[in-house]
Amino acid sequence: MFNASLSWIKSKQVFLKIQAGTGDNLQQEDIQKGFVDYCLWSTFRPECIDIDGELDMKCLDSGMILFKEYANAKTALESCYRQAFGKDYNEGEVIVLLEE
């Protein structure tokens, strides 16, 4: 399992931030459907990244991906990319900057 990642999406000129879920957002109906894990994603323009804690960090878009098995960093990135940009994952346009 991964904790978080930050990637630069070249074609969109945005950051894609992914955070592993803590389990708090899995509802009983999700569990009944077989979901065991999730991650949260957000996209940001470079000028919106808060590095000093004083800027209001506004994302462009965000979402949550549910998984029926525990996700690793690669699976989470590919799934979040598809949901965020509405197209298949393209490794050539993604630069992973940070992975915890």
Side-chain angles (χ1 to χ4, degrees):
M1 184 64 185
F2 75 103
N3 289 323
S5 72
L6 180 67
S7 300
W8 176 247
I9 310 303
K10 294 187 263 185
S11 67
K12 302 291 184 182
Q13 296 290 292
V14 298
F15 291 105
L16 174 61
K17 181 180 86 169
I18 302 171
Q19 292 179 243
T22 62
D24 297 344
N25 286 347
L26 277 180
Q27 298 178 353
Q28 192 61 36
E29 61 195 41
D30 297 329
I31 295 167
Q32 290 172 350
K33 291 177 183 175
F35 294 106
V36 296
D37 194 16
Y38 67 92
C39 66
L40 305 169
W41 63 267
S42 301
T43 54
F44 299 90
R45 286 204 165 81
E47 62 271 15
C48 295
I49 296 292
D50 184 3
I51 57 173
D52 60 8
E54 295 186 21
L55 296 173
D56 185 19
M57 196 162 142
K58 295 181 182 175
C59 70
L60 299 170
D61 198 6
S62 62
M64 183 172 87
I65 303 281
L66 296 171
F67 298 101
K68 291 194 173 183
E69 56 187 49
Y70 289 98
N72 60 34
K74 183 177 186 212
T75 301
L77 177 58
E78 291 173 358
S79 297
C80 291
Y81 180 94
R82 273 193 295 279
Q83 189 177 79
F85 304 111
K87 60 183 185 175
D88 287 339
Y89 177 74
N90 179 348
E91 188 175 352
E93 71 172 44
V94 177
I95 300 171
V96 177
L97 302 170
L98 173 70
E99 200 171 84
E100 296 179 339

